[in-house]
Amino acid sequence: MSAQSSKPSPEHFFRSVNAFHLTHALKGAIDLDVFTAIGEGATTAKALAESRRGSERGMRILCDYLVVTGFLTKVNDKYGLTPDSAMFLDRRLPTYVGDSAEFLLSPTFAQAFSDVAAVVRKGGTVIDEHGTMSPDNPVWVRFARAMQSIAFGMARTLTELIKLDPNKKTKALDIAASHGLYGLAFAQQYPNLEIVAVDWANVLEVGRENARKFGVSDRWRALPGSAFDVDFGDGYDLVLIPNFFHHFDPPTNEKLMRKFHAALNVNGRAVTAEFIPNEGRTEPPQAATFALTMLATTASGDAYTFAEYEKMFANAGFSRSEFIQPQMGIEQVIISYK
Amino acid sequence: MSAQSSKPSPEHFFRSVNAFHLTHALKGAIDLDVFTAIGEGATTAKALAESRRGSERGMRILCDYLVVTGFLTKVNDKYGLTPDSAMFLDRRLPTYVGDSAEFLLSPTFAQAFSDVAAVVRKGGTVIDEHGTMSPDNPVWVRFARAMQSIAFGMARTLTELIKLDPNKKTKALDIAASHGLYGLAFAQQYPNLEIVAVDWANVLEVGRENARKFGVSDRWRALPGSAFDVDFGDGYDLVLIPNFFHHFDPPTNEKLMRKFHAALNVNGRAVTAEFIPNEGRTEPPQAATFALTMLATTASGDAYTFAEYEKMFANAGFSRSEFIQPQMGIEQVIISYK
């Protein structure tokens, strides 16, 4: 993301200060469904204006902007989709991720980032005491609906990394299950696996819909409430903890991991999917920049390093933890053994 | 700005949707004056927190983010300035450009970009009838104060490109003079040059201050009002038109250029400094992306190509126009001969 040229220049600064233009241009293109329209064959500004009820001048300027920023191609006056845009921004495909803008650009996030100086002074979110971690915060229903298509890829990756015995009756706990896709990906693979999904009651309705779609409703059980308060029961072979620990401080995570430890069978595993930067906290970019999102939206969350997680999980009683960088996706995985 | 990898990936989309984080992180760093603090020797999160009354945790997360995004370096736990940041973001230097964030992130611009789909549908700004072009809009006072340090470099570039006879009494018209630096750079070089500066009365106060600082008050005259309405008089050797035409449609620009043509001496020149993209409108990036800013903030402005300007200026009576891409700066220049 650096852009240092040989001679000092303020260009990188100006492009970066104006980076919010890019956010809003993309949001506008998604709202107008420009990428799908191009996929359908409306490849000139004129055709796009007709197809999506816009002005030709507006479409030309927006599409040129999307060419410069790497989302479209342009040959003469014809726009085309880049390979990434064709796969992820054409609404007709199941790989479409455009809905995520609804969550990522929700008013809560806009407010959280509106005064980063205040956030840095305080050392945590200035939204309110709990930030996005307040009980039943509706932002997580939006998240569940918006992030499904992305989560699906990561969920599939997890089923490749973690194997269960298909012939044995097994049980998995899906923490902050949201859309439920992590647990459901496993349920699809293992017909003897039962899933217990924990999240706020309003959010679990999205998971319930998906369990029905996946045809596994009879093996998917909702356990509504806070993961810190509800009784999980025991006898679990797997605890899935996707994108949850980053919201809290280490003592809170240790306490929670101790609760998972108690709920697991003797050969059980806890699986953490997270943004985990390297020790220097500056690589990989997605994991490293994610810390700022946690600073701005939570009271004490962070993007923890593997060494930090390893310590938390050892303190919680796990015998060892293994770091995995999957080939696909932007997240990292830790498998912890009881 | 593209980031296509060999395998389709939604990474570029996610980074781009979240680009507003970068805007706000930079704004936060400028508000906290982090770059100057590092220049002064506060190079760890702890030292920065003490120097700028922030939390250590907040400073660490913000600075790591600025490392990933190319504004800082990090070796062990010590942060350093990149060459660009050292020259342009350390408030102690005259090359500091951080104040421009005040203008670029003003509420007017935030509002203008808040619904790009609506802007594209309409084909122009949704702020109000005139956008930022309403009479005496206070955003231009902010602009004048915030953009001085950048304009200074471009003004110097113009004095290298355009020569006057130092021994003759000469006269220049400085259109939308703002901070006045374009005209003032010429006034400094030519002791027999008189400057007539046109802008809104509130804005010209900034120019007047600068004329005093440059020690040329006796040769700098304010002509308050709209360039479309005020009487310029005649006998000009030079008309400077920096960053003005992009706000209007071609017929309006032609009309104005005709007025300049009439005010110029027979050997006079009109000098346009602008964001001028190539014919395909996708290069260079700064000029090409600028069109979206005009779409969002004005009723009918644009980033015109040289061919478009050439036609407007020929229609206005100029005999020929010459395109120049200066080595320094992000703008392009056109010199038009009467």
Side-chain angles (χ1 to χ4, degrees), chain A residues 238-259:
Chain A
L238 212 56
V239 182
L240 302 172
I241 317 132
N243 301 307
F244 193 59
F245 289 130
H246 58 231
H247 297 106
F248 311 104
D249 62 18
T252 305
N253 287 335
E254 280 183 26
K255 194 175 133 195
L256 193 60
M257 199 61 168
R258 223 170 281 134
K259 216 177 144 186

Side-chain angles (χ1 to χ4, degrees), chain A residues 43-295:
Chain A
T43 58
T44 63
K46 189 162 183 285
L48 284 166
E50 281 163 14
S51 159
R52 292 302 189 264
R53 294 181 305 126
S55 66
E56 182 177 342
R57 163 183 148 78
M59 281 293 182
R60 185 258 296 166
I61 292 176
L62 176 63
C63 290
D64 284 344
Y65 185 93
L66 295 170
V67 172
V68 181
T69 52
F71 289 94
L72 294 177
T73 60
K74 187 181 187 183
V75 177
N76 299 322
D77 288 337
K78 283 199 191 312
Y79 299 102
L81 300 175
T82 62
D84 288 357
S85 299
M87 177 159 290
F88 296 105
L89 298 177
D90 185 329
R91 199 181 284 274
R92 299 168 301 170
L93 301 183
T95 43
Y96 180 71
V97 299
D99 287 337
S100 63
E102 278 298 312
F103 169 70
L104 296 167
L105 307 180
S106 64
T108 307
F109 277 71
Q111 196 201 337
F113 276 93
S114 65
D115 189 351
V116 167
V119 164
V120 170
R121 280 197 200 97
K122 186 177 173 188
T125 188
V126 293
I127 304 178
D128 67 17
E129 193 194 342
H130 301 288
T132 53
M133 289 298 99
S134 56
D136 297 298
N137 192 317
V139 79
W140 299 114
V141 178
R142 204 181 280 222
F143 174 89
R145 298 209 179 274
M147 304 301 265
Q148 301 192 52
S149 58
I150 309 144
F152 191 68
M154 187 62 186
R156 282 288 158 107
T157 298
L158 289 187
T159 62
E160 281 159 28
L161 292 173
I162 295 125
K163 299 294 175 194
L164 293 169
D165 185 339
N167 304 313
K168 254 183 65 182
K169 260 191 126 31
T170 46
K171 195 163 80 161
L173 186 61
D174 189 358
I175 295 298
S178 186
H179 36 65
L181 291 180
Y182 292 93
L184 292 169
F186 279 93
Q188 267 200 321
Q189 297 241 331
Y190 299 101
N192 291 311
L193 175 66
E194 184 199 345
I195 306 287
V196 177
V198 179
D199 211 318
W200 303 119
N202 56 352
V203 178
L204 283 173
E205 289 310 308
V206 186
R208 194 183 307 280
E209 280 172 35
N210 284 327
R212 218 171 291 136
K213 279 187 208 159
F214 277 61
V216 298
S217 292
D218 55 325
R219 293 184 285 119
W220 189 90
R221 184 157 64 85
L223 183 57
S226 159
F228 295 97
D229 301 329
V230 296
D231 182 2
F232 303 137
D234 55 16
Y236 291 96
D237 300 282
L238 212 56
V239 182
L240 302 172
I241 317 132
N243 301 307
F244 193 59
F245 289 130
H246 58 231
H247 297 106
F248 311 104
D249 62 18
T252 305
N253 287 335
E254 280 183 26
K255 194 175 133 195
L256 193 60
M257 199 61 168
R258 223 170 281 134
K259 216 177 144 186
F260 299 147
H261 190 269
L264 279 170
N265 285 333
V266 77
N267 291 320
R269 285 162 291 176
V271 179
T272 303
E274 272 292 351
F275 292 100
I276 304 175
N278 68 5
E279 292 306 301
R281 295 183 187 276
T282 58
E283 289 281 347
Q286 286 76 8
T289 55
F290 187 73
L292 186 69
T293 301
M294 289 303 100
L295 181 72

Side-chain angles (χ1 to χ4, degrees), chain A residues 1 11 55 60 120 286 302, chain B residues 11 15 55 60 120 302:
Chain A
M1 284 165 130
E11 278 188 48
S55 66
R60 185 258 296 166
V120 170
Q286 286 76 8
D302 206 339
Chain B
E11 278 189 47
R15 192 161 56 230
S55 66
R60 185 259 295 167
V120 170
D302 206 339

Side-chain angles (χ1 to χ4, degrees), chain A residues 1-5 7-32 52-62 64-65 67-71 74 76 82-85 87-89 97-101 104-105 109-110 113-125 147 150 279-286 288-295 298-304 308 327-330, chain B residues 1-5 7-32 52-62 64-65 67-71 74 76 82-85 87-89 97-101 104-105 109-110 113-125 147 150 279-286 288-295 298-304 308 327-330:
Chain A
M1 284 165 130
S2 168
Q4 299 294 331
S5 54
K7 210 170 193 174
S9 154
E11 278 188 48
H12 181 48
F13 170 77
F14 284 110
R15 191 162 56 230
S16 301
V17 161
N18 282 332
F20 74 105
H21 296 190
L22 177 54
T23 295
H24 294 295
L26 264 181
K27 179 66 165 56
I30 288 165
D31 290 346
L32 293 162
R52 292 302 189 264
R53 294 181 305 126
S55 66
E56 182 177 342
R57 163 183 148 78
M59 281 293 182
R60 185 258 296 166
I61 292 176
L62 176 63
D64 284 344
Y65 185 93
V67 172
V68 181
T69 52
F71 289 94
K74 187 181 187 183
N76 299 322
T82 62
D84 288 357
S85 299
M87 177 159 290
F88 296 105
L89 298 177
V97 299
D99 287 337
S100 63
L104 296 167
L105 307 180
F109 277 71
F113 276 93
S114 65
D115 189 351
V116 167
V119 164
V120 170
R121 280 197 200 97
K122 186 177 173 188
T125 188
M147 304 301 265
I150 309 144
E279 292 306 301
R281 295 183 187 276
T282 58
E283 289 281 347
Q286 286 76 8
T289 55
F290 187 73
L292 186 69
T293 301
M294 289 303 100
L295 181 72
T298 70
S300 51
D302 206 339
Y304 297 105
E308 288 172 328
Q327 289 221 308
M328 291 290 283
I330 57 176
Chain B
M1 287 165 129
S2 169
Q4 299 295 332
S5 53
K7 210 170 196 172
S9 154
E11 278 189 47
H12 182 47
F13 170 76
F14 284 111
R15 192 161 56 230
S16 301
V17 161
N18 282 331
F20 74 106
H21 296 190
L22 177 54
T23 295
H24 293 296
L26 264 181
K27 179 65 165 57
I30 288 165
D31 289 347
L32 293 162
R52 292 302 190 265
R53 294 182 302 126
S55 66
E56 183 177 342
R57 163 183 147 80
M59 281 292 182
R60 185 259 295 167
I61 291 176
L62 176 63
D64 284 343
Y65 186 93
V67 172
V68 181
T69 52
F71 289 94
K74 186 181 188 183
N76 299 322
T82 62
D84 288 356
S85 299
M87 177 160 289
F88 296 106
L89 297 176
V97 299
D99 286 338
S100 64
L104 296 168
L105 307 179
F109 278 70
F113 276 93
S114 64
D115 189 351
V116 167
V119 164
V120 170
R121 281 197 199 97
K122 185 175 172 187
T125 187
M147 304 301 265
I150 309 144
E279 291 307 300
R281 295 183 189 275
T282 58
E283 290 279 346
Q286 286 77 10
T289 55
F290 188 73
L292 186 69
T293 301
M294 289 303 99
L295 181 72
T298 70
S300 51
D302 206 339
Y304 297 105
E308 288 171 328
Q327 289 222 306
M328 291 289 285
I330 57 176

